[in-house]
Amino acid sequence: MTRMLRGQLSVLAAAPGYLAEHARRPQVSNRFYGAVLQVMWPVRPMLCGVGGRVGVGGRLWAGMGGRVWAAAGDSSLRHSSTTPSTKDDVSGVVDVVVVGGGVIGCSCLYHLTKMGVTNTLLLEAHKLTSGTTWHTAGLFNRLTRTEVAFLLHDRTYQLLMTLKEETGVDPGWRNTGNLFIAWKDDQPEERRADFERFAQLGRVMGVESRMVDVNELKEIHPLLETSHLAAALYTPSGGTMDPSGLCEGLTRAAVRGGARVVEQCPVTAITTQETLLGGRRVTQVHTPRGTVTTNTVINAAGGWGNDISSMVGRQLPLQVFKHGYVVTGKVEGTEHLPVVRDYSASCYYKPQGDSLTVGGFESNPVPIDQLSPDSPFDLYEPNWDVFSGMLNGAMKTLPVMKSAGIKSTVYGPESFTPDHMPIVGEDAEVQGFYYCCGFNSHGMQMAGGCGEQMAHWVVEGRPTLDMFTYDVRRFEPRLVKDREWIRAKSHEGLAKNYSIVFPHDEPLAGRGKRLSPLHQELEAGGCVFQERHGWERPGWFHSQPAPVQSYDWYGAYDTQPASDQRYLHALQADCTFDIPLHQDTLAQECLSCRQRAAIFDLTSFGKFLLTGRDAEAAAAWVFSAPVTDRAPGAIVYTCMLNHRGGVEADLTVSVCEGGEGAACFPPFEGQGYYVITGGATAEYCRAHIVCEARRRGWHIDLTDLTEELAVMSLQGPHSRTILQCLTEHSLADVDFPLSSHKAITVAGHKCRALRLSFVGELGWELHIPRSSALDVYRAIKEAGKNMGLVDAGFRALDSLSCEKGYRHWHADLRPDDTPLEAGLAFTCKLKTNTDFLGRSALEQQQAKGITRRLITLTLQDSLRPLWGHEAIKRDGLTVGFIRRAEHAFTLGKVLAYGYVQQPGDGPITNHFLSTGDWQVEARLKLLSASIHLTHPFDPRNLRQKGIYKDPSYGTATALVHPPAVGAGWVSGKVPDWRPNGPEFGSGRVSALLGLVALSRHKAGLYDLPS
């Protein structure tokens, strides 16, 4: 019997598909596991060597048997019965409870132990690796699209390299290498550019990779058919892992450190207690084996995450789909093959013993509305209508599959999210309740990094990396309850997993959820909208309407294509890593703002009013700049920091007095603070302020006015003239100075007017009740029609603000950057005696000297766009990478920002920055660059003061009758809208737009004039 079982286990260890084949039917799986369990326990000691690796038999047992693990005297694991008993009682006081025994929960437990938090308990309702982990393909790729994702992957990589030595458990790491391929009929030039960007970031992070030609492909992977391939990227580092081995290694180390792991122990309820400002905090976790007293719970339940969240009255935007792979029959020559990611077929090909595992991301996945809590190892019959399309593509690239056939299928549940990113971090309303789930089929790769960051979050209050992309607080609370939105957005993310990520692409799913009162008017005027957390905000303005189309699910589920695809066509015209085809339109919006006037709809901005008994104390603590000593009517640009001094947000705060009751002038007692932040970060900022108030016991009111108020920003040299036509209130400097706000009437409607600018021009923001917004907008457009006023969108806003040197949070300013490093020391009240969050960390950094600094670079070649993550080199040595880049149309240059660090451990010096040969490596090519220690555009900040006679730039006046929209741009000639001074950067812009015109001509968008 032992010989027979040993042979069966060898098959199981070598080909997990065999296990799947026997277990995929729910009515069969329990009998199958039960039969194996009957014979495994007596012979378990003899199975340690099965499959050629130490512990494979034990890991197979780990996936089937139940146990309680705890630290023994000899630091080994000990097994106890799965039947609840006094010995298995989990009652007691625990520092942290981790719910879920998949790879994510195991990683959280491990990293908590590494940080010294050992009084921890992992509760698994069934067995370790239940749910998704046990049937994952176990792929690992070191090349990523962002440096934060790389660092999260890299922590997993470090674990794979060291865990066996640390614990004696082999995580099954096989360094196969990774190969990315793309087809000739699938945007070959853009695919190549996308691969080059992968390789570029890899170089920055120290990972070897290279583009390979078709001939070399055959040497790397002899089984590939290469005649239809156009581009390929190879990296020798990367491979596969054993999910069960990784989980066992992580938990063994945690248990040795003092943690406890309990299987067959579901969580049945979580008790919370009310706190300030309508919040709650975790107090107890209830199970059939007793009640655990704790103040911290990590929800790592994966697809069952909402079962746990609902116990505290919260909901996650999770959608479960059936997702999986097939295992082929025997294939000769699979040894030493790399894992292949076929981006054009949306498939991956992994060597699995003498077979191949083939999986992918389908466009028509089958959704699951509710997972059964009692079926942790269930698999499903594959839907061949879903899978066949991908297999056809796979067989084109791997013809050997046609003869090998399909040996088994693994088709299980996988949880996805609306933006295809995990959900991590502390809940905004339930203190001590953390999330680490929704990994979109990337959980194995991200487990190490996310587990480590969760440990920092729990122990220190914040992660060490910029985790905003994954933070649960990124979601608008109302949208997480919208099942239609969640399903559509999650479907799109899954379907586009292998799609090219273009800089200016926009989602098609989940649109139209939050609209400005100007939406229809702007849409009729040709606005091409962007979507940000439910908001439709102006992106740029087309020559004809391009309304957001209805979601057609990319043709899945027998859905007919959208009848009106003008919006899609407008987006596709900018799907490039070269100069966007609509660059001429963006240039017109930007230059119109600089030379005449532009109006921006900023209604999507977050708008909050901070009032209440302790509002002043809260404002002094959470805002880094001095706001509490400013008189009503003042506007202050400030940061909000974390305890490490990192920037959690940059925003404006207007000091206010109570009003008469209108939406823009709400009544309140004492002094209030009107807080304006970016729309994508509104909930994040709100939660930050409320969280700090709760921690310090302050009674405040933070009223969300975002949906009640529209915002229009009128900017440019003629903004004062236009606005003055519509109001009796004086807008002169003496009456309405810069950085001030007041109540005025515009076109007969009351509004709060703020004199400030996000683009570096003379201008005002008008905060208006929604019911008045359309009338005011039309009045402004009418008043400005003879002064060259144009509509402009956020793409122009991004370019203009970048050109002026203004920071963009989550691009060149993040939670892992400090104001001192970012050149924002002026936003911190360090010269006062007022304490504020992050002050101590900044003072320590100031005393030691900053070791890195945000710099400004311009390329000498103005026709080579940058998109971020390009390497910054000084004298041939990589010293940083680009965080943010835009085309600065006024300067006629490509302008970029990035943090650089001087070699060695000392502070960065001005000598280091002002000397040396600076270059940018973009898509593996070196470009000459110039460094600027001051912002190259309007360094004296004269323009926002209304001073337009700076000799450096000429006189910024404008024609009363500017040329018609688009006139002169097709031919590459830039209209001279400034008769009293030279056109800004006219030669460079002319060359740029001439190239754009030629590109559009080649694309068949219009004919060039003779």
Side-chain angles (χ1 to χ4, degrees), residues 259-418:
R260 195 178 181 201
V261 177
V262 182
E263 295 177 312
Q264 299 287 7
C265 187
V267 173
T268 56
I270 299 175
T271 302
T272 61
Q273 185 178 73
E274 289 188 4
T275 60
L276 285 176
L277 309 177
R280 287 170 293 141
R281 63 180 180 86
V282 170
T283 57
Q284 290 181 324
V285 174
H286 303 269
T287 79
R289 301 190 186 185
T291 297
V292 183
T293 299
T294 185
N295 58 13
T296 305
V297 170
I298 298 177
N299 178 359
W304 289 264
N306 269 319
D307 292 0
I308 305 302
S309 297
S310 64
M311 296 178 185
V312 295
R314 305 295 285 169
Q315 186 171 338
L316 288 172
L318 291 177
Q319 175 63 58
V320 179
F321 289 101
K322 296 179 181 178
H323 183 66
Y325 53 86
V326 301
V327 180
T328 71
K330 185 174 181 180
V331 175
E332 296 291 341
T334 58
E335 300 85 0
H336 312 299
L337 291 180
V339 173
V340 179
R341 286 174 171 80
D342 188 339
Y343 277 71
S344 299
S346 195
C347 287
Y348 60 81
Y349 318 127
K350 165 196 168 186
Q352 178 73 48
D354 60 0
S355 303
L356 290 171
T357 293
V358 180
F361 292 80
E362 52 271 67
S363 63
N364 54 345
V366 178
I368 303 173
D369 290 329
Q370 181 66 47
L371 286 173
S372 169
D374 300 319
S375 304
F377 289 104
D378 274 4
L379 294 175
Y380 308 101
E381 293 287 354
N383 184 330
W384 292 108
D385 291 335
V386 171
F387 222 73
S388 59
M390 288 189 305
L391 289 180
N392 289 335
M395 286 187 286
K396 184 175 181 178
T397 301
L398 284 172
V400 69
M401 285 182 58
K402 298 176 182 178
S403 57
I406 303 299
K407 178 170 65 176
S408 60
T409 64
V410 178
Y411 212 57
E414 180 76 59
S415 59
F416 293 83
T417 63

Side-chain angles (χ1 to χ4, degrees), residues 190 368 445 843 945 999 1003:
E190 303 305 332
I368 303 173
Q445 300 184 100
E843 288 175 334
K945 300 173 185 177
S999 300

Side-chain angles (χ1 to χ4, degrees), residues 659-671:
E660 74 280 5
C664 49
F665 301 105
F668 58 86
E669 296 182 359
Q671 191 157 280

Side-chain angles (χ1 to χ4, degrees), residues 606-662:
K607 301 170 280 289
F608 301 94
L609 183 63
L610 173 61
T611 59
R613 187 185 76 188
D614 298 320
E616 183 175 347
W621 175 251
V622 300
F623 301 133
S624 63
V627 298
T628 57
D629 58 352
R630 303 295 297 273
I635 302 175
V636 180
Y637 172 65
T638 183
C639 295
M640 293 197 300
L641 310 180
N642 55 44
H643 71 281
R644 298 190 186 96
V647 182
E648 294 289 335
D650 72 324
L651 36 78
T652 60
V653 177
S654 300
V655 185
C656 303
E657 292 179 318
E660 74 280 5

Side-chain angles (χ1 to χ4, degrees), residues 8 11-33 36 60 64 134-135 325-329 355 357 377-382 384 405-412:
Q8 289 177 344
V11 173
L12 296 179
Y18 181 89
L19 181 67
E21 180 66 23
H22 288 77
R24 67 186 181 193
R25 294 181 176 85
Q27 65 269 27
V28 174
S29 59
N30 289 337
R31 294 200 303 271
F32 175 74
Y33 283 118
V36 175
L60 185 56
M64 299 178 182
W134 78 276
H135 65 71
Y325 53 86
V326 301
V327 180
T328 71
S355 303
T357 293
F377 289 104
D378 274 4
L379 294 175
Y380 308 101
E381 293 287 354
W384 292 108
I406 303 299
K407 178 170 65 176
S408 60
T409 64
V410 178
Y411 212 57

